[in-house]
Amino acid sequence: MLKAENLETDCLQRDSAEHKEYAGVQNADSRKAEEQDGADLLERILSRDNLNRAYKRVKSNHGAPGIDGMTIEEALPWLKEHREELLERIRKGKYKPQAVRRKEIPKPDGGIRKLGIPTVVDRIIQQAIAQELVPIYEPLFSENSYGYRPNRSAQQAIRKVKEYAEEGYTQAVVVDLSKYFDTLNHDLMLELLRRTIHDERVVQLIKKYLRAGVMENGVVVKTEEGSPQGGPLSPLLANIYLNEYDQEMKRRGVPVIRYADDIVVLARSQRAAERLLETTKRYLEGKRMKLRVNAEKSKVVSVYSIRNFKFLGFALGRGKKGTHIRVHEKSRKKAKAKLKELTSRSQGRNVRMVIQRVNAYTRGWIGYFGIAHMKSLLQEWDGWLRRRLRMYIWKQWKKPRTRKENLMKLGLSEWRACEVAYSRKAYWRAAKHAGVQTAISNKRLVQAGYESILDRYESLR
């Protein structure tokens, strides 16, 4: 399984470097796909203009170095010196990409995601390839595929599920692929590429990237299958591979909403959904795809099941006004835990810095989940966060005398300041004291930089 910190679920983590690089590829609508491909595709990939755009895109993403340690700043003088030699080696098929650097990051739902970080030079070449291939493949992709495509988003995907639910497709087959990016079959991938790409040199170059290997603990391990996450080509290849499934389901008239390897198949009845689950398993695990479906996590659920249906961090609800989009319970809990961590009173930072970090997180979170109905939730969170900040400030003041002086500076009378400052209440209870709330008012928190989550949410809507 693959948009605040970065977002909630795998989607959050998918808004990683590879997402940014791929999302930057522009779709050239002015040329037909047939005109874009041909025996000169490699020359277009290696053109000065295309490579310059690729360099700028990779530079804008501020990615980490690969196994050679070269940074994006060091790459420019190297490329100026070795450009012609590099291009000639690629044209003659003698270029050999370096192995990717393994990096492990925790997944939102537990476990580890293994990223593969290519060298800067290889990222630039991959980006250049992607920039030419995206316009070719975009017209071939399903309308219901939303992951890592220009001008498409997770929000559009959940809205599409909502549309189908309103049409009576209330049963969902939630499909979980085991280690999808690590299990792409290279032979099948190359076969798919050859159907559309007619410049064999490009296919062979992509093959070299697929089989470049991974460096783990100083040793290069061969990659017999998979497309390591971390490079600009990986999301595109992943979409090309699963497009076979998308198109097959489309031919059968089955609604499938897909965001990268997050798949939801929709049906009007539970019996139909159960049949589709078996059909999907057979197709994805068969000779045409050779993928692995996680039998435990792949299941049939109602799209209105608050606990069981989760797609890209969202859920669906049903009320008097019909179907609406919600934030899934797990997404809410994760966000609140993060906010609790950011406002922990033991970190020793200046409160303004704490507020800045809270604001940055909530901006990203609302930016992603802002389409959901959650006004009352955010109203509650605003009050809770303000109390957390008052608690943080209260602890920083430490001594009763300091608290008394600060309370008086903020407008409390001396006797009232004494009453509050010498209270034996613990931090959390003290933060709710009327005197503390009067002194550290909502207005003063705003002056210190606090941005209301509810206000931001309502401004977006």
Side-chain angles (χ1 to χ4, degrees):
M1 301 284 295
L2 272 177
K3 244 150 6 54
E5 198 173 83
N6 277 344
L7 295 176
E8 131 65 15
T9 63
D10 280 355
C11 261
L12 317 200
Q13 304 231 1
R14 289 177 190 148
D15 272 98
S16 60
E18 70 174 15
H19 186 182
K20 293 178 182 176
E21 292 185 45
Y22 183 82
V25 178
Q26 298 298 313
N27 188 2
D29 293 328
S30 60
R31 293 181 292 171
K32 294 182 179 179
E34 292 82 1
E35 295 172 342
Q36 289 174 308
D37 195 11
D40 66 338
L41 178 59
L42 182 63
E43 293 308 317
R44 294 202 303 276
I45 289 170
L46 300 181
S47 70
R48 182 178 293 274
D49 176 66
N50 191 50
L51 287 172
N52 284 343
R53 287 192 295 118
Y55 170 80
K56 289 175 182 177
R57 172 57 55 182
V58 173
K59 183 179 180 181
S60 70
N61 288 315
H62 308 289
I67 62 171
D68 61 355
M70 183 186 292
T71 65
I72 186 65
E73 291 76 19
E74 295 168 336
L76 186 58
W78 187 92
L79 287 168
K80 286 181 177 178
E81 182 178 352
H82 300 280
R83 181 180 182 278
E84 294 306 321
E85 176 191 347
L86 173 65
L87 299 187
E88 190 63 21
R89 285 165 57 205
I90 293 174
R91 289 189 180 101
K92 291 182 176 180
K94 294 181 179 181
Y95 179 73
K96 184 178 179 181
Q98 296 192 61
V100 298
R101 179 169 64 85
R102 175 68 79 212
K103 182 178 181 181
E104 296 183 347
I105 59 173
K107 296 171 70 173
D109 56 352
I112 297 294
R113 183 186 317 288
K114 294 183 177 181
L115 297 183
I117 311 300
T119 64
V120 171
V121 172
D122 282 327
R123 288 210 298 277
I124 294 169
I125 298 170
Q126 284 192 35
Q127 179 68 22
I129 296 171
Q131 286 171 177
E132 285 297 319
L133 293 192
V134 166
I136 294 172
Y137 279 100
E138 270 299 304
L140 307 179
F141 288 156
S142 166
E143 276 300 307
N144 286 348
S145 164
Y146 294 91
Y148 306 122
R149 294 181 60 189
N151 305 315
R152 287 173 173 259
S153 66
Q155 292 76 17
Q156 291 173 331
I158 190 63
R159 282 194 178 109
K160 194 65 179 179
V161 176
K162 174 178 175 286
E163 284 180 26
Y164 277 117
E166 291 170 335
E167 294 173 8
Y169 291 89
T170 59
Q171 297 296 313
V173 179
V174 180
V175 182
D176 185 273
L177 294 174
S178 300
K179 300 179 180 179
Y180 171 59
F181 281 85
D182 297 329
T183 57
L184 295 183
N185 183 280
H186 288 177
D187 292 334
L188 292 178
M189 182 78 254
L190 295 171
E191 180 185 327
L192 291 174
L193 291 171
R194 288 190 178 101
R195 291 182 192 175
T196 307
I197 298 174
H198 307 305
D199 190 333
E200 182 62 22
R201 296 173 300 172
V202 176
V203 176
Q204 290 299 318
L205 181 57
I206 294 173
K207 178 180 178 180
K208 288 180 180 180
Y209 277 114
L210 289 172
R211 300 185 177 174
V214 179
M215 180 171 282
E216 294 182 339
N217 301 318
V219 179
V220 175
V221 180
K222 291 183 179 180
T223 44
E224 303 293 341
E225 60 180 7
S227 176
Q229 299 179 64
L233 261 180
S234 186
L236 174 59
L237 296 180
N239 273 334
I240 292 171
Y241 201 89
L242 273 177
N243 188 52
E244 291 299 291
Y245 171 73
D246 295 341
Q247 299 302 335
E248 178 63 25
M249 293 297 105
K250 182 179 179 180
R251 283 190 288 272
R252 300 183 188 190
V254 178
V256 173
I257 312 300
R258 184 172 65 81
Y259 189 99
D261 59 340
D262 278 335
I263 303 171
V264 170
V265 186
L266 296 165
R268 294 182 182 272
S269 69
Q270 185 174 348
R271 179 178 293 184
E274 288 171 351
R275 289 198 300 267
L276 286 171
L277 175 57
E278 292 306 313
T279 300
T280 290
K281 282 182 180 178
R282 285 197 302 271
Y283 188 87
L284 292 174
E285 293 182 337
K287 293 181 180 180
R288 294 183 66 178
M289 301 297 288
K290 295 186 179 181
L291 297 170
R292 303 165 198 168
V293 176
N294 187 324
E296 293 182 3
K297 294 184 178 180
S298 299
K299 54 191 176 182
V300 173
V301 299
S302 166
V303 294
Y304 296 117
S305 174
I306 297 173
R307 291 187 178 181
N308 294 324
F309 181 74
K310 178 187 178 189
F311 185 50
L312 308 175
F314 294 97
L316 294 182
R318 184 163 47 182
K320 294 179 181 179
K321 296 183 179 180
T323 301
H324 56 270
I325 297 170
R326 308 175 53 161
V327 180
H328 193 273
E329 182 182 1
K330 288 184 178 178
S331 305
R332 295 200 308 267
K333 287 182 177 179
K334 184 185 175 189
K336 195 164 185 181
K338 182 61 182 179
L339 289 170
K340 191 172 183 178
E341 176 191 326
L342 290 173
T343 54
S344 169
R345 63 178 187 261
S346 61
Q347 56 187 305
R349 289 186 174 89
N350 179 281
V351 70
R352 291 179 183 271
M353 187 181 296
V354 172
I355 289 173
Q356 286 175 7
R357 297 177 75 201
V358 168
N359 289 342
Y361 181 82
T362 56
R363 280 188 215 116
W365 198 85
I366 293 296
Y368 183 79
F369 287 107
I371 63 168
H373 287 238
M374 51 178 173
K375 182 175 179 179
S376 58
L377 172 70
L378 297 184
Q379 193 169 18
E380 175 192 325
W381 280 14
D382 257 337
W384 175 75
L385 270 173
R386 290 184 184 110
R387 186 174 174 183
R388 294 278 304 174
L389 292 170
R390 290 184 181 107
M391 177 185 68
Y392 190 92
I393 294 168
W394 193 248
K395 187 190 177 186
Q396 284 201 326
W397 287 350
K398 293 182 180 178
K399 296 180 180 180
R401 179 180 293 180
T402 305
R403 290 171 179 167
K404 175 189 169 184
E405 291 173 355
N406 287 329
L407 290 169
M408 289 175 66
K409 287 177 183 177
L410 293 172
L412 265 60
S413 64
E414 185 174 357
W415 71 268
R416 182 65 164 154
C418 282
E419 178 192 7
V420 178
Y422 289 94
S423 169
R424 292 181 177 271
K425 290 181 179 179
Y427 298 120
W428 182 241
R429 289 188 64 197
K432 198 178 180 181
H433 194 290
V436 175
Q437 292 187 53
T438 300
I440 311 172
S441 63
N442 292 354
K443 184 178 179 180
R444 286 199 169 99
L445 288 175
V446 170
Q447 290 171 345
Y450 179 71
E451 297 172 2
S452 164
I453 315 176
L454 180 60
D455 289 351
R456 176 168 291 277
Y457 170 73
E458 291 186 326
S459 69
L460 288 175
R461 294 173 70 86

